[in-house]
């Protein structure tokens, strides 16, 4: 799966990492729902760090379509809420059962 972090670039992430990313996404959703800015910043940073850790960066000149677009670390609570409205249940989709 190709994920784009806004303003940063694209990462190829193997499906085997989606469960971990979903857990971090759930923590982000909890922080958003509570409106806790500190927890939101921490959970967004953790999610993006995990994507950078498990993903392989694509070259800047790559024209691959992104399957997911994620906010950058400077995104506000409202900006991420808006992304979630357009994406559905969280930023990272679950694996089909």
């Amino acid at each position: 799966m190709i994920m784009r972090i806004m303003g940063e670039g694209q990462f190829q992430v193997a499906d085997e990492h989606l469960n971990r990313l979903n857990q971090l996404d759930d923590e982000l959703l909890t922080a958003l729902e509570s409106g806790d800015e500190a927890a939101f910043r921490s959970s967004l940073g953790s999610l993006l760090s995990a994507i950078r850790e498990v993903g392989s960066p694509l070259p800047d000149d790559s024209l691959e379509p992104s399957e997911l677009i994620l906010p950058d670390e400077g995104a506000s609570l409202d900006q991420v809420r808006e992304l979630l409205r357009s994406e559905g249940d969280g930023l990272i989709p679950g694996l089909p059962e």
Side-chain angles (χ1 to χ4, degrees):
M1 172 175 290
I2 297 176
M3 299 182 183
R4 173 180 297 281
I5 298 175
M6 286 194 225
E8 185 171 332
Q10 292 178 302
F11 296 84
Q12 177 71 47
V13 177
D15 286 347
E16 66 193 57
H17 300 293
L18 291 181
N19 285 336
R20 175 178 173 213
L21 296 177
N22 268 308
Q23 290 172 342
L24 294 169
D25 191 31
D26 288 345
E27 292 173 16
L28 178 62
L29 288 172
T30 299
L32 278 169
E33 290 168 1
S34 72
D36 183 336
E37 180 77 26
F40 165 73
R41 289 273 151 236
S42 176
S43 58
L44 179 59
S46 294
L47 176 61
L48 297 178
S49 291
I51 291 168
R52 292 181 198 110
E53 176 186 318
V54 301
S56 301
L58 296 179
D60 290 338
D61 61 353
S62 174
L63 298 175
E64 301 295 322
S66 300
E67 296 170 76
L68 292 176
I69 299 176
L70 298 139
D72 62 40
E73 289 189 61
S76 70
L77 280 161
D78 289 337
Q79 289 170 324
V80 175
R81 282 185 183 121
E82 189 61 35
L83 272 175
L84 289 172
R85 280 189 205 110
S86 65
E87 295 294 328
D89 288 335
L91 296 171
I92 309 293
L95 290 173
E97 298 191 21

